[in-house]
Amino acid sequence: NNGGPIIAVQVENEFGSNKPCDAAHYDYMVQLRSIYREHLGEEVVLLTVDGDSYRLAKCGNIAGLYSTVNFGAGGNITEHLMVQRKQEPRGPFVCSAFFSGWLDHWGHKFNKVPAEQVASSLQDILEFNDRSASVSMYMFHGGTNFAYMQGGRADWDNATTTAYPRLWGKMTSYDYDAPLSEAGDTTYKYWKLREVISNYSKVYPVPSNTTKQSLGVVKMHPIYDILTLIQQVIPLHAPQFNVFSEYPLPMEQMGQNHGIVVYSTVLPSSLTLPAELEIELYGDRVYVFTGTGDTPVQISSRNRVYTSFTVQQRDVYILVEDNGHSNTGHVRYSYQYYQKGIIGNVTANGQVLTSWNASLVSELLPKQPYAQNWNFTDFWAAQFSAALSPNSSERSKRSRPGRYLPTFYWGDVNGLQDDSFVDTNGWGKGIMSVLGDNFYNLGRYWPLAGPQQRLFCPGEWCSGPRRGLVTTFLLLELEQAPDNLTISVLDTPLVDGVYDTSQQ
């Protein structure tokens, strides 16, 4: 009515999958409908989309919102769309999300859906009911969960306790086995779908895939281990990222919603060593070590049943990393179970520990894919130069075989201007950033868990007027570093490599 291309707006996504389907559930949808109508008026079609079962479609919809369904390839298209017709006796048949592939989690096999199967199902949709059905493909173009935005899946069916779900973190790559890849390249699946679509619509010339660049091996240099960073660097350069409290606080209460926090305290002199340390609740992965780094780091995950650690010194450090906020899976119980960091008390030999300091380590890295300001870009540039000084080895001497401490590493490469893929084979688990014309967060890498082994790096992030053709990679490695301390910049992706579920 206003000359624009928008004919409908989706109000919610698969809300019918959230339990229970009760009065509060209904009231939420009513409020959403009111907000959308207030801003968009009465003439715009508002719709919902839910899974292809009548129970889900009914629970996810209310009067005044047009109900549509979603489904993947390989099923009976008539059965799928008749779910919608039962909910909506009149109106067009609509598949609002036709799944071209599927999302992927660390430590699990990469999901692939055959191109021929997707193409066949797409043709069935387009032929349905005398060619009257509409379809939107999810995903058509794969993507990347840059920074900390990859999310996770709450798994209540395999929870380690009755009140705390397992969490399967999604990979950094959201390639999805989509027709267009994470880097925007056409795939075999794209061409098969194009063949189908050409029978129903005019198709147009396709641009060539973008150039990918391979520069080979990049030598990485240690800057700081995590103890040096929180004992010396943050107090001097970023004291605002230290938070003191009587009891440990979740990340969100300290203004950090994602990433890494290091909690520290000193055990009372009245406690006998070694002490048994227990963490009541945490999200999602913990690394326990002492202030000298002389004892092995103890690692655990919310997906495992044990949460106790043995400490032999009084100054205790607990690094907590979130593995993604839950964005799929049923939501149960209170918000507490979805918070990150330490949630609840920490005890030693049964005594509740107090007087905590929390160092917000991820505040030194871009929280979004790009840096919000240049303050810490300049800070890190100075650290890269200092890392080449004669005494730089002192900063990482505590990271040695059997005594590895989480450590920052950096490495320069010259002439990187096109898209590439950074291979982390040999490393353990961590976060990678790139300093080019700005400061960007490429996201998490975890080759030990797989299946993703290489991170996508957009070429436009890698060079520019600020730094010329120099690009610097910055890694915060949490678990292990290879002897050769190298990464590789390559021209091909690897998202479907080996995987190890036990790492989760």
Side-chain angles (χ1 to χ4, degrees), residues 271-294:
L271 278 176
T272 302
L273 297 178
E276 193 74 9
L277 193 75
E278 293 191 2
I279 307 173
E280 183 178 356
L281 206 61
Y282 60 89
D284 298 295
R285 193 172 180 87
V286 295
Y287 301 76
V288 177
F289 47 93
T290 57
T292 60
D294 289 335

Side-chain angles (χ1 to χ4, degrees), residues 78-357:
T78 299
E79 290 181 0
H80 292 323
L81 290 173
M82 291 312 294
V83 169
Q84 183 205 4
R85 176 55 76 232
K86 187 173 181 180
Q87 178 69 14
E88 293 288 356
R90 301 177 58 191
F93 289 97
V94 181
C95 174
S96 288
F98 174 56
F99 306 131
S100 64
W102 197 242
L103 46 84
D104 297 282
H105 300 87
W106 294 112
H108 292 74
K109 184 178 180 180
F110 183 79
N111 288 293
K112 291 185 177 181
V113 181
E116 290 80 6
Q117 187 179 84
V118 178
S120 177
S121 291
L122 177 62
Q123 180 163 323
D124 289 345
I125 296 172
L126 296 176
E127 286 290 335
F128 185 79
N129 198 42
D130 295 327
R131 298 188 173 188
S132 66
S134 296
V135 59
S136 175
M137 195 169 296
Y138 184 94
M139 302 281 292
F140 190 79
H141 188 327
T144 309
N145 295 306
F146 292 118
Y148 309 108
M149 302 304 292
Q150 86 286 352
R153 178 173 66 87
D155 182 1
W156 288 97
D157 295 332
N158 297 290
T160 53
T161 71
T162 57
Y164 199 40
R166 287 175 181 259
L167 183 89
W168 305 114
K170 293 182 173 65
M171 297 192 326
T172 298
S173 173
Y174 205 79
D175 181 87
Y176 204 81
D177 193 32
L180 293 180
S181 73
E182 175 179 14
D185 294 338
T186 57
T187 66
Y188 174 69
K189 184 178 290 184
Y190 172 86
W191 294 106
K192 294 298 292 183
L193 296 181
R194 179 182 168 90
E195 289 178 14
V196 173
I197 293 171
S198 67
N199 296 321
Y200 304 88
S201 175
K202 184 178 179 180
V203 294
Y204 296 88
V206 180
S208 300
N209 291 338
T210 59
T211 300
K212 307 300 185 298
Q213 196 167 1
S214 178
L215 294 177
V217 172
V218 179
K219 181 68 175 181
M220 304 300 290
H221 310 276
I223 311 175
Y224 299 117
D225 62 53
I226 198 72
L227 283 175
T228 304
L229 184 82
I230 60 182
Q231 291 173 349
Q232 301 177 29
V233 179
I234 289 181
L236 179 63
H237 294 282
Q240 69 272 29
F241 297 146
N242 275 332
V243 177
F244 299 92
S245 60
E246 186 70 6
Y247 301 97
L249 300 174
M251 287 187 190
E252 292 85 349
Q253 290 187 28
M254 297 183 288
Q256 179 175 302
N257 295 325
H258 311 279
I260 290 171
V261 171
V262 179
Y263 299 85
S264 58
T265 191
V266 178
L267 301 186
S269 57
S270 58
L271 278 176
T272 302
L273 297 178
E276 193 74 9
L277 193 75
E278 293 191 2
I279 307 173
E280 183 178 356
L281 206 61
Y282 60 89
D284 298 295
R285 193 172 180 87
V286 295
Y287 301 76
V288 177
F289 47 93
T290 57
T292 60
D294 289 335
T295 56
V297 175
Q298 301 172 74
I299 305 174
S300 189
S301 162
R302 66 184 286 170
N303 290 346
R304 303 172 187 174
V305 295
Y306 59 87
T307 56
S308 62
F309 310 85
T310 301
V311 293
Q312 301 182 27
Q313 297 180 14
R314 298 200 181 277
D315 47 345
V316 173
Y317 292 77
I318 304 173
L319 184 152
V320 185
E321 180 199 18
D322 92 280
N323 279 342
H325 285 76
S326 177
N327 55 12
T328 54
H330 299 309
V331 176
R332 302 183 188 178
Y333 303 106
S334 71
Y335 174 68
Q336 174 189 13
Y337 298 98
Y338 302 95
Q339 290 179 303
K340 303 302 180 180
I342 293 179
I343 312 155
N345 288 323
V346 180
T347 62
N349 293 347
Q351 180 176 332
V352 175
L353 300 179
T354 59
S355 300
W356 289 86
N357 174 54

Side-chain angles (χ1 to χ4, degrees), residues 51-84:
D52 59 331
S53 81
Y54 180 63
R55 179 185 64 82
L56 298 178
K58 182 179 181 181
C59 192
N61 187 265
I62 60 173
L65 305 178
Y66 190 74
S67 178
T68 70
V69 292
N70 60 21
F71 49 84
N76 186 304
I77 301 303
T78 299
E79 290 181 0
H80 292 323
L81 290 173
M82 291 312 294
V83 169
Q84 183 205 4

